[in-house]
Amino acid sequence: MRIIFMGTPQFAVASLDALITAGCDVVAVITAPDKPAGRGQKVNESAVKQYAVANHLKVLQPEKLKNPDFLKELEALKADLQVVVAFRMLPEVVWNMPSKGTINLHASLLPQYRGAAPINWAIINGEKESGVTTFFLTHDIDTGHILFTEKVTLKGTETAGDLHDWLMNKGAGLLVKTVKGIESGRYSQHPQDHFTEGVTLKHAPKLFKEDCLVDFNQPAEKVYNLIRGLSPSPTAYTTINDKVLKIYNATFEVTEPGVSAGAFVTDNKTRLRFATKNGYVSVTDVQLEGKKRMGIEEFLRGNKF
């Protein structure tokens, strides 16, 4: 079965590698165009491109997916199946091209957390489980028929980075299972409507800077979950002495704070904690504007309040 793989970030590399390792015939890889980045504007290649080039795979990097020349090249590849992992929205002329369709690996238990940031929002909302889903692409984003799912249990202390890595590896295995199932004809499809009766759907929209500002008027656990859900990226933040303080990790306690929400208390040695609606959040891993990321003890050695 001739497969075209579409993906861009590191999350997708594990899936591409799993397909290659499983002996799948990946005839081309489609990824984002190279972009200049950093102070020197050095050309930055996507993680998927770097892997594809290292493994001698054909790479296509269209600026526009409806470009006639790209569509001709895509059609000439005569793919039976297209596989999408952390790419971008595809026009119908692209996802409808292969005879066996186009499948997507999504980092949630669909239909929950449709959207661009499912890993972050699952942690932010304090979910007790998460997982990965494979499904066929259709017109509306993340709504196609489900093929396979795999769940993971959450303890309530994980960061989005932890969950990212778990789902990256779980998803790679699930994708191989899905591709082999399609190749052999041993699979079934389940409309997502079957999973929505009596369920309040939660969505996973793209995160912006305003979503990352900590509101200490919220309960302590909610603040803690926000910090975990934005770590390591795009990162929760507050201000301290008029400087931005990024917060990568923390602990929390529910108690009578004794000071107003948002006020901070420190011993200037080992502890810096912010009052919330119903307790405190103690930050443990931070980065002050213009400085490197560091543990709280190192931070307090260099900053007195």
Side-chain angles (χ1 to χ4, degrees), residues 1 100 178-188:
M1 194 165 62
K100 295 184 183 294
T178 303
V179 168
K180 295 295 187 182
I182 291 172
E183 190 169 32
S184 66
R186 296 193 186 100
Y187 70 95
S188 57

Side-chain angles (χ1 to χ4, degrees), residues 8 24 45 87 111 150 155 207 212 218 224 228 238-239 246:
T8 297
C24 297
E45 298 178 340
F87 193 48
E150 186 164 347
K155 296 178 181 178
L207 289 158
C212 302
Q218 298 290 327
Y224 171 66
R228 293 190 300 119
T238 187
T239 56
K246 291 184 176 180

Side-chain angles (χ1 to χ4, degrees), residues 2-291:
R2 293 173 63 83
I3 297 169
I4 291 175
F5 184 90
M6 301 181 182
T8 297
Q10 190 63 40
F11 187 91
V13 172
S15 289
L16 177 56
D17 180 64
L19 291 174
I20 297 299
T21 301
C24 297
D25 184 17
V26 178
V27 298
V29 170
I30 300 172
T31 192
D34 299 341
K35 291 182 179 179
R39 291 182 181 176
Q41 292 294 283
K42 182 180 178 182
V43 174
N44 187 35
E45 298 178 340
S46 76
V48 164
K49 180 183 178 180
Q50 292 175 41
Y51 176 90
V53 169
N55 287 275
H56 312 293
L57 300 171
K58 180 180 179 66
V59 177
L60 301 178
Q61 296 177 275
E63 289 280 354
K64 296 182 179 179
L65 297 175
K66 290 185 179 180
N67 180 291
D69 291 335
F70 166 68
L71 292 175
K72 278 185 184 177
E73 193 166 11
L74 193 63
E75 192 169 19
L77 289 167
K78 300 185 184 301
D80 300 299
L81 180 72
Q82 288 175 161
V83 173
V84 179
V85 183
F87 193 48
R88 51 178 150 155
M89 284 189 68
L90 303 183
E92 182 175 1
V93 67
V94 172
W95 60 255
N96 203 29
M97 191 178 289
S99 59
K100 295 184 183 294
T102 298
I103 61 170
N104 184 212
L105 171 69
H106 189 70
S108 82
L109 299 173
L110 289 173
Q112 295 286 17
Y113 295 107
R114 293 170 178 159
I119 293 173
N120 302 97
W121 283 106
I123 299 292
I124 290 169
N125 289 335
E127 297 292 353
K128 301 304 181 188
E129 67 175 13
S130 182
V132 282
T133 304
T134 52
F135 67 98
F136 277 114
L137 284 191
T138 186
H139 291 92
D140 297 322
I141 187 168
D142 299 336
T143 61
H145 285 18
I146 289 174
L147 292 161
F148 296 98
T149 62
E150 186 164 347
K151 296 180 180 181
V152 297
T153 300
L154 303 178
K155 296 178 181 178
T157 56
E158 306 85 357
T159 65
D162 296 329
L163 183 56
H164 170 281
D165 292 349
W166 297 343
L167 297 186
M168 178 176 68
N169 294 314
K170 289 277 187 186
L174 190 70
L175 186 64
V176 171
K177 176 181 177 180
T178 303
V179 168
K180 295 295 187 182
I182 291 172
E183 190 169 32
S184 66
R186 296 193 186 100
Y187 70 95
S188 57
Q189 302 182 51
H190 307 282
Q192 291 193 34
D193 290 348
H194 288 187
F195 300 91
T196 59
E197 188 174 346
V199 173
T200 300
L201 292 183
K202 298 172 187 174
H203 296 278
K206 184 178 178 180
L207 289 158
F208 296 94
K209 187 174 182 180
E210 54 266 31
D211 299 308
C212 302
L213 177 62
V214 178
D215 178 4
F216 288 107
N217 290 298
Q218 298 290 327
E221 186 171 11
K222 193 166 184 179
V223 173
Y224 171 66
N225 289 343
L226 178 74
I227 291 167
R228 293 190 300 119
L230 298 175
S231 180
S233 178
T235 321
Y237 73 95
T238 187
T239 56
I240 189 166
N241 289 359
D242 298 321
K243 288 188 175 182
V244 172
L245 182 72
K246 291 184 176 180
I247 307 170
Y248 291 92
N249 222 326
T251 60
F252 77 96
E253 59 180 315
V254 175
T255 184
E256 179 58 47
V259 294
S260 59
F264 66 86
V265 179
T266 180
D267 61 3
N268 279 316
K269 292 180 180 179
T270 62
R271 186 159 66 168
L272 173 62
R273 57 182 188 163
F274 290 84
T276 69
K277 179 181 178 180
N278 67 341
Y280 287 99
V281 167
S282 297
V283 299
T284 58
D285 186 357
V286 298
Q287 183 177 12
L288 190 65
E289 182 180 334
K291 304 291 184 179

